[in-house]
Structure formats: C-alpha cells, structure tokens
Amino acid sequence: MKPQVYIRVDGNSEIGLGHLIRCMALARNISEEFLTTFCCRFIPEALKQELASFDLNLKEIQHEEQFFSAVEKGCTVVVDGYNFDSVYQKKLADKGALIVVVDDLYQGKFNVDAIINHALGVLPENYNAMPFTQLCLGTEYALLRPEFLQLHERESEKNVGLSLLICFGGADPLNLTLQALEVAGEFPQIETIRVVIGAAYQMREDLFQKIPRMSRKIQLLENLNPSDMAKVMSLSTHAIVPCSGTLLEALSAKLVVISGYYADNQRQFYTGFRHAKAFVDAEQFESDQLRRALTSALSRRTTLFKGIDTKIPGRLKKLFSSLEMQKRVSLRQAGQVDDKLTYRWGNDRLVRKYSFTKNHIPFEEHKKWFKEKITSPACIYLIAEFQQEPVGSVRFDLNEGNVAVISYLIDSHFHGKGLGLAVLRSAIKHLAQNFSELSAIIGYVMKENLASLVIFRKLGFNEEILSDRIKFTRNWKNEK
C-alpha cells in the first residue's frame, strides 16, 4: 500500500488559488508512489472536480481541530498557507508528524522537516529553520503540473503570428486582466489574444463588456483544466502573467513573458526571476509599465531563460521517500556491546576510503578509544537502525561554545539506498530536541565524498573550502 501524505491548503477569491494549484502539482508529481489527501476549509467547486479527476482525495473541514485529529504519529503532512505559522507547525510536530512547508516568504521560524520554495535567489541563510530541516530551493523543485513539464519537453507548436496569453491566476482581485487586455489592444501586430480567467474571478461582467468593443480576435477562456491550459500556452508566443506559479508554467512553455508583481508575497519571486532575466519587467502592471514591457517583448520571439528541467518529479519523490525512510530509522545510545560492530564499520575498505584516517586501526586501540567516547559527557554517540537492523553511526563531539562536530558513517552494505540523509537528519533532530543550548553544527567532508557533500548541502549547511576538505557549518538560532 502506498504511504499517505496529508496536504493542508486552502483557496478562494480572497486567498487566491495559487496555494491549491501548486499543491495539486506536488501531489500529482508524487502520485505514483504516494497517496495524498487534501484537507481544505475553502476550495472552489471547480477544483474539487479537478482533484477527483486525478484521483486525489479531499477531506473538507470546518475547523483546524478536525485536521489535527486526523494527524497521527509518523504522518507526513504538507502545509501551504501564511496562517500555518511556527505555533501551528509545533502543534503538528508535537503529534509526531513529519512536516513539509511550501513557502514563498521565509518569514518567522520554521519547526519543520523540509521546506520547498521554488523561487530563484533564495539562500539557506534566508531561513530561520531547525538544523535538520532539508531546504529544497529554486526551480529544481518547481511545483509544475505534469502537463507543463511535458510541454517543456516537446517541440513548440506555436503559430507564426504573434499570439498573446493573458492570465492573472484563478482570482485576480485587482482585475489586472482587464487592464492588461486594454493595453494589449493598442498593439495591432498581436494577431490573437487569449484571456484566461479562473474559478475565483469575480469581475466577468467588466470583461464581457470590453471584449466586443475590441476589433481583434480575442478568446475568453474560463476554468481551464491543466491540459487545456497547456494547449493554450503551446499556441501562444507571448504571455502576461504575475510572478506566481503561472510564471513557471509560461517559462516551461518557452514563452516570452511579461511579468511583475502586485502582492507582497510575489515580491521575492519577482526579485529572483527578474535578476535571472526570465521575463520582461512590467513592474506592478500599471498601464504605462505594461505598455513599455509589451513594446520590448514583442520584438522577441524566444526566451533566454533555461532554468526549468524535467527531473523535478524525481527530486520530489526522493524528498518524500527520504522522509518515509526516516520513519523507519531509530536511534539508540552506543554501548560497550557495540565495540566490535563499530570496529568492523571503521575498518571497512569503502568507509575508510572517505575517512581522514586511512590506516588500519587495531581492535584494542579502537576499543579503548570507543570506551572513552561513549563515557565522555562531551560526546553523543548514536547507533542508527533501519527496520531494527544496525546500519550506521552518528557521533557529535561537543566543543566550547555549544558547537557540535559531527562524524557519521553508513554500513557499506547499505550504501546507495538514500539512508545517509535519513540517518543524518534523524540524528540532528535528536540532537536539536535534546540539547537546547546548541549553537552550531560542523561537519568535515573529503572533496571526493560526493554523497556526503550532497547531504550537507540539502540540509542547508554553509560550506568553506579548505586545503584537503570542505567544512560545513549550520548555525542555529534557538529562539524559544
């Protein structure tokens, strides 16, 4: 049976539909390996039907306690919304849930296991997160619906003539759709304008009155499913969209994009993608700004942005598979009975390959060293077990200033299974939860040890290149 993932998210004309759409993209990208249940207080009827069409489960709730009552120890929970703050996250953590936050603001403290933020330009140090939090940042984790990833792979079907798509998402509370349409109407070289509005759009009458007065060919499209939206993009050469998930879809379709922002939660997205020259800047979509941007964009027929790839579903599956693996990892204090086990691990040829000490260690020497470590108050020595079988060890040596230096190894028989990340994340979580005065964690990795380099980078450690190794540091603001 597939593991269960709960997704707590809402959408309506006030909130907008972006949170829901990107969570649906996430759910569909991992659906081969995971069952997902959406838990929503607010969701339009059109999106209920879309969830059902993709066999995604929906549990409608009236208050948060209904959701918390469904969460059991070991559940994986995704939350996406600005009201799911650190207090909310702690309540989930106290129930034993593994938590993934979909975020675009990096405000406040994050008491979670992983964060997905698919904006460009976001750095690990932007987040005040727990030291075990995996940071999935940038377009490598873009929450794109499969239709748009497929669109990115195939050759363009675009017509020769200029064709403009206008889409401001499912709600568009400022009615920027109409403003963009009026400006686009001033450019006779645009042969076709396709206007897409969503389920939460409240100003249809204004559009209906405007469109008949415009001479060019205009198509008004409502509540498109992902396939139809991808088809519209495949027939367009240019697009006016905000800095949201729709921007990622337009870039995946290789359109020349005019974009900007109109809400605070779009500002970071705007800054990162503008710096990457992913779109022609319409700033805040005022008429003059749109006019200038269209004038510039219509002289181009190709986009320079190459930041979307088709390996995104695999990365998302690996994230959730690693969390699932973490549930089957247990930790115990190392004891004297482990001296032979740790001796065998320490002298394993593949383990020693990436160790800073290359020489064979005699058993009596190891036994003495091991006893000193497990009895020292300045050392936390843990044995990691996977499904009750020992698979590796993690050691933290505590220095002055409450800094922990980490050393870990995985039994070579279990290499290549993804256990390194699950074990290290579990061990750091144990350390953080039991040593409240911890200020930083440091790890040293050989430059040739690619697997460990990847793990420390996924966990958001800052790196410093030394002569014979790389030093990884994760500072931790332990704010109560």
Side-chain angles (χ1 to χ4, degrees):
M1 185 175 176
K2 294 179 182 179
Q4 174 73 60
V5 176
Y6 289 98
I7 300 179
R8 178 70 187 91
V9 63
D10 289 315
N12 59 19
S13 58
E14 273 187 48
I15 302 168
L17 302 184
H19 301 286
L20 266 169
I21 296 296
R22 65 190 184 188
C23 282
M24 289 170 68
L26 169 60
R28 291 181 61 202
N29 278 311
I30 64 173
S31 62
E32 290 181 356
E33 298 178 14
F34 295 88
L35 291 173
T36 54
T37 297
F38 282 70
C39 299
C40 304
R41 292 181 66 188
F42 310 105
I43 179 170
E45 188 62 36
L47 290 188
K48 291 182 190 179
Q49 295 173 14
E50 192 170 316
L51 284 174
S53 73
F54 294 115
D55 294 323
L56 302 175
N57 300 318
L58 172 64
K59 176 182 176 63
E60 293 188 71
I61 61 174
Q62 282 70 51
H63 51 80
E64 294 302 325
E65 287 307 317
Q66 288 178 277
F67 172 60
F68 282 110
S69 66
V71 175
E72 299 176 349
K73 184 175 182 179
C75 283
T76 299
V77 175
V78 176
V79 294
D80 185 354
Y82 305 126
N83 52 323
F84 305 131
D85 58 12
S86 59
V87 175
Y88 192 97
Q89 296 161 16
K90 187 177 186 306
K91 190 169 181 180
L92 285 172
D94 288 345
K95 289 182 71 71
L98 296 179
I99 310 161
V100 178
V101 167
V102 180
D103 179 62
D104 50 30
L105 288 180
Y106 49 85
Q107 292 180 352
K109 185 172 182 177
F110 291 82
N111 183 24
V112 299
D113 296 277
I115 297 169
I116 300 173
N117 184 336
H118 57 196
L120 289 176
V122 182
L123 302 173
E125 51 263 37
N126 293 138
Y127 277 99
N128 179 10
M130 303 296 279
F132 54 83
T133 302
Q134 182 174 343
L135 300 173
C136 305
L137 309 178
T139 55
E140 289 186 351
Y141 292 91
L143 299 180
L144 280 163
R145 293 175 284 183
E147 292 81 3
F148 298 93
L149 289 170
Q150 293 162 11
L151 187 63
H152 186 72
E153 287 183 307
R154 64 177 183 252
E155 291 299 316
S156 173
E157 301 174 20
K158 296 175 180 48
N159 297 324
V160 174
L162 292 175
S163 178
L164 177 68
L165 164 67
I166 298 174
C167 180
F168 280 87
D172 186 17
L174 302 181
N175 203 13
L176 293 172
T177 300
L178 179 58
Q179 186 159 298
L181 178 60
E182 289 174 334
V183 172
E186 301 172 10
F187 292 80
Q189 65 267 48
I190 303 175
E191 295 182 10
T192 305
I193 302 175
R194 295 180 177 89
V195 179
V196 177
I197 57 176
Y201 184 68
Q202 301 291 307
M203 289 160 277
R204 287 170 175 76
E205 291 304 316
D206 292 340
L207 271 181
F208 293 153
Q209 291 175 17
K210 178 67 179 178
I211 287 174
R213 300 199 298 270
M214 299 182 69
S215 59
R216 73 199 53 251
K217 184 178 178 182
I218 298 173
Q219 298 177 15
L220 179 61
L221 307 163
E222 297 188 59
N223 301 332
L224 296 185
N225 63 39
S227 295
D228 289 340
M229 186 65 176
K231 181 65 175 178
V232 168
M233 287 194 175
S234 75
L235 297 172
S236 302
T237 58
H238 295 69
I240 301 176
V241 298
C243 278
S244 64
T246 313
L247 171 63
L248 288 170
E249 293 175 348
L251 292 172
S252 187
K254 304 173 186 176
L255 303 185
V256 178
V257 179
I258 298 104
S259 192
Y261 73 97
Y262 60 84
D264 286 342
N265 65 322
Q266 297 170 351
R267 189 185 295 267
Q268 301 298 338
F269 218 71
Y270 166 80
T271 300
F273 281 90
R274 182 187 62 176
H275 182 74
K277 296 181 171 56
F279 57 79
V280 180
D281 191 4
E283 301 176 57
Q284 293 182 287
F285 298 110
E286 294 179 5
S287 294
D288 286 345
Q289 295 167 341
L290 279 165
R291 200 170 285 114
R292 285 193 298 270
L294 264 172
T295 300
S296 174
L298 292 177
S299 65
R300 311 180 191 181
R301 295 301 296 265
T302 58
T303 178
L304 299 177
F305 184 73
K306 308 295 182 186
I308 304 292
D309 67 50
T310 55
K311 297 179 181 178
I312 294 165
R315 295 186 190 106
L316 293 170
K317 288 173 190 173
K318 280 185 178 179
L319 167 63
F320 284 87
S321 294
S322 177
L323 291 172
E324 198 62 31
M325 187 175 288
Q326 185 176 326
K327 298 174 187 178
R328 299 194 290 275
V329 170
S330 59
L331 301 168
R332 61 175 176 80
Q333 294 291 334
Q336 197 62 49
V337 293
D338 298 306
D339 57 1
K340 291 184 176 62
L341 175 66
T342 53
Y343 172 73
R344 176 172 64 81
W345 283 341
N347 280 294
D348 183 278
R349 179 180 59 83
L350 290 175
V351 171
R352 297 229 67 77
K353 180 179 179 181
Y354 297 117
S355 172
F356 294 110
T357 303
K358 302 296 185 186
N359 298 330
H360 177 80
I361 303 168
F363 177 67
E364 290 303 320
E365 182 179 326
H366 169 79
K367 186 175 180 180
K368 179 183 177 183
W369 170 89
F370 183 68
K371 183 177 181 180
E372 289 173 353
K373 286 295 181 183
I374 62 174
T375 56
S376 170
C379 177
I380 299 106
Y381 204 141
L382 304 170
I383 301 297
E385 296 184 345
F386 181 69
Q387 296 177 327
Q388 300 182 326
E389 182 176 0
V391 295
S393 64
V394 183
R395 192 180 80 247
F396 298 101
D397 291 305
L398 304 178
N399 295 340
E400 293 182 8
N402 298 313
V403 174
V405 179
I406 188 170
S407 302
Y408 82 101
L409 63 84
I410 300 296
D411 187 322
S412 61
H413 294 95
F414 294 90
H415 285 186
K417 301 180 184 299
L419 270 170
L421 178 58
V423 166
L424 200 56
R425 193 165 47 202
S426 295
I428 295 174
K429 192 171 190 176
H430 170 87
L431 181 72
Q433 291 174 340
N434 289 281
F435 296 87
S436 60
E437 300 306 313
L438 183 69
S439 64
I441 301 172
I442 294 174
Y444 295 96
V445 180
M446 292 182 64
K447 295 175 182 178
E448 299 81 11
N449 190 351
L450 300 181
S452 284
L453 295 177
V454 168
I455 290 171
F456 279 103
R457 286 165 182 160
K458 282 185 175 181
L459 292 173
F461 279 69
N462 295 314
E463 56 187 284
E464 178 185 355
I465 300 175
L466 305 179
S467 59
D468 63 339
R469 65 193 71 186
I470 295 179
K471 178 182 179 181
F472 285 94
T473 305
R474 180 76 184 265
N475 295 313
W476 181 31
K477 307 170 188 175
N478 187 19
E479 299 165 355
K480 300 292 185 180

